[in-house]
Amino acid sequence: MGTVKRASSRRRGASALTLLCAMAILTAPGLVTGTAYAAPAAPTAPSAPAAPAPEPGAKSLEQVRKEVEDLYRQAGSATDAYNLAESETKAQSERIVEIAKQVVAGQDRIATLKARAGAAARAQYRSGGLPPGAQLALSDSPSDFLDGAGRLRQGEKATTDLLGELNRTQADLERYAKDAAAIWQKLEDNRVKKEAAKKEIEEKIKAAEALENRLEAEEKARLIQLEQDAQYQAQTAWLSSGAMKDVKGLASEAGKRAVQFATAQMGKPYVWGAEGPASYDCSGLTSQAWLAAGRPIPRTSQEQLRLLPKVALKDMRPGDLIIYFDDASHVGMYVGDGAMVHAPRPGRNVTMAGAGSMPIKAVVRPDA
């Protein structure tokens, strides 16, 4: 009888364990199939053996995901600073060239004015430099003298004007020299900023890659799945909030061209500082897409936020740019149906994602 009871107890324990395992499988994340943006479902991952329990004190894979994401975000912010310094350096270099051309033109003008002044001085020397009264007394024809005196007064005025223009041109050259010195200083300051940003970018990316490289192949696959799960959850929460309820805007003709360009770049790798055609960073993609649409816009996501007209989320239309995070360190292009195209981060390619998969700071319109 005791043996029967023990066997029965073991069968009940086995049944309870089986039930618990089944419940755990059914409630595990990432098992719902299908993906959409306007009405998304959780991404799926291939079945894999359960991951081994982490060693005491070791970071969980979710902690690694968050740390990697934070490092790449910091790299993205530094990339924006690098790109801004780069674009300012380009503008300042163009200004230096313009000033150099103005200096050459000014020097040529001074040479011409000096030649004219020399000719006037030589003409005065040939007239003997006599005062007007003496020239009248010695003249055979008072009328000829008076005609000559009128020409002399015209010549004196021309000489005065010439000297005034000479002085102004010399003043311009001095101002050009000061402007050039100031711009050279800005160029040097931007060089320092670029070097500092470059160093920070490389350090953050190296740290993120080191974290990922410590993972086994199976863990790397699960890390990608965790990224997708986090994006899905953010997109689902965003849509559940009713954010897309009134969004029905239609793309402008320029917006259509920008979207066509951006989506045609899908599959190309993210490279910080890149503006195509083989690779892009986030703002490199959006700025080049709108350039292809005939509307040049600022190079960086922060400048795009600062200088482009903002629109309400409910008025968003394809081609508009969505600025993400409080520091405006990321940007994507809305393509419709709750989706956007963007260059995510190092190690990822230009892709489509949910427009609400990251915290939205603002929406801006390049062709407002």
Side-chain angles (χ1 to χ4, degrees):
M1 188 70 172
T3 303
V4 173
K5 285 183 178 180
R6 283 195 298 272
S8 176
S9 176
R10 283 196 298 271
R11 284 195 298 273
R12 285 196 300 272
S15 298
L17 180 60
T18 302
L19 179 59
L20 286 172
C21 290
M23 289 176 66
I25 292 172
L26 289 172
T27 56
L31 296 180
V32 182
T33 59
T35 300
Y37 296 104
T44 60
S47 58
E55 297 179 5
K59 294 177 181 177
S60 70
L61 201 55
E62 177 61 15
Q63 287 174 319
V64 172
R65 181 193 71 78
K66 289 180 178 178
E67 191 169 340
V68 167
E69 182 181 277
D70 187 55
L71 285 166
Y72 279 126
R73 273 204 55 218
Q74 292 176 47
S77 184
T79 298
D80 222 40
Y82 178 91
N83 289 338
L84 180 59
E86 176 72 17
S87 61
E88 287 179 346
T89 296
K90 182 180 178 182
Q92 289 155 357
S93 297
E94 291 171 351
R95 178 61 182 150
I96 286 286
V97 172
E98 182 183 337
I99 288 175
K101 291 178 179 177
Q102 290 173 328
V103 167
V104 170
Q107 290 172 336
D108 290 344
R109 183 61 178 158
I110 283 178
T112 300
L113 292 171
K114 285 183 176 179
R116 285 172 53 192
R122 288 191 294 274
Q124 186 177 5
Y125 176 77
R126 285 193 296 272
S127 71
L130 295 173
Q135 292 184 33
L136 176 59
L138 296 172
S139 175
D140 295 329
S141 170
S143 62
D144 290 344
F145 167 76
L146 292 173
D147 289 342
R151 288 194 297 272
L152 180 61
R153 283 193 296 273
Q154 292 173 356
E156 287 174 345
K157 183 180 183 304
T159 301
T160 301
D161 292 344
L162 183 150
L163 292 174
E165 186 174 353
L166 182 61
N167 289 333
R168 286 192 298 274
T169 305
Q170 288 175 328
D172 286 343
L173 287 178
E174 291 175 4
R175 179 169 53 82
Y176 295 154
K178 290 179 181 177
D179 288 348
I183 293 174
W184 279 117
Q185 184 58 53
K186 288 181 180 177
L187 280 171
E188 176 60 17
D189 292 344
N190 274 328
R191 185 192 67 78
V192 173
K193 288 179 185 176
K194 282 173 58 180
E195 288 301 316
K198 180 181 178 181
K199 183 179 179 182
E200 183 178 358
I201 293 164
E202 291 173 343
E203 286 176 351
K204 300 300 181 185
I205 291 176
K206 185 177 180 181
E209 289 174 342
L211 279 172
E212 292 184 290
N213 290 338
R214 286 201 290 266
L215 301 175
E216 299 294 335
E218 179 187 319
E219 291 177 314
K220 288 181 180 178
R222 289 180 59 236
L223 183 66
I224 293 174
Q225 183 64 39
L226 286 175
E227 288 180 3
Q228 293 174 348
D229 288 347
Q231 292 169 7
Y232 159 75
Q233 290 166 8
Q235 175 76 351
T236 300
W238 183 66
L239 292 175
S240 298
S241 71
M244 289 293 298
K245 182 179 64 174
D246 298 320
V247 179
K248 300 180 178 67
L250 299 177
S252 65
E253 288 304 314
K256 290 177 183 177
R257 292 194 296 271
V259 168
Q260 287 169 355
F261 179 95
T263 53
Q265 312 313 308
M266 289 173 62
K268 294 182 179 180
Y270 176 107
V271 174
W272 67 267
E275 298 179 83
S279 57
Y280 296 88
D281 63 22
C282 66
S283 58
L285 176 66
T286 54
S287 61
Q288 288 300 304
W290 273 101
L291 182 62
R295 298 293 182 95
I297 64 173
R299 169 66 177 87
T300 72
S301 57
Q302 293 175 351
E303 289 295 280
Q304 288 168 4
L305 172 65
R306 187 173 72 87
L307 298 175
L308 297 179
K310 297 177 180 62
V311 296
L313 186 64
K314 65 180 180 62
D315 298 323
M316 183 167 63
R317 68 190 189 194
D320 287 348
L321 306 183
I322 306 176
I323 310 296
Y324 292 100
F325 303 112
D326 287 340
D327 60 357
S329 58
H330 193 71
V331 60
M333 179 180 291
Y334 183 63
V335 296
D337 196 27
M340 59 91 173
V341 62
H342 70 147
R345 65 165 176 83
R348 300 288 183 263
N349 297 332
V350 176
T351 188
M352 199 87 72
S357 57
M358 293 174 285
I360 295 175
K361 183 175 180 66
V363 178
V364 296
R365 179 164 296 163
D367 62 338

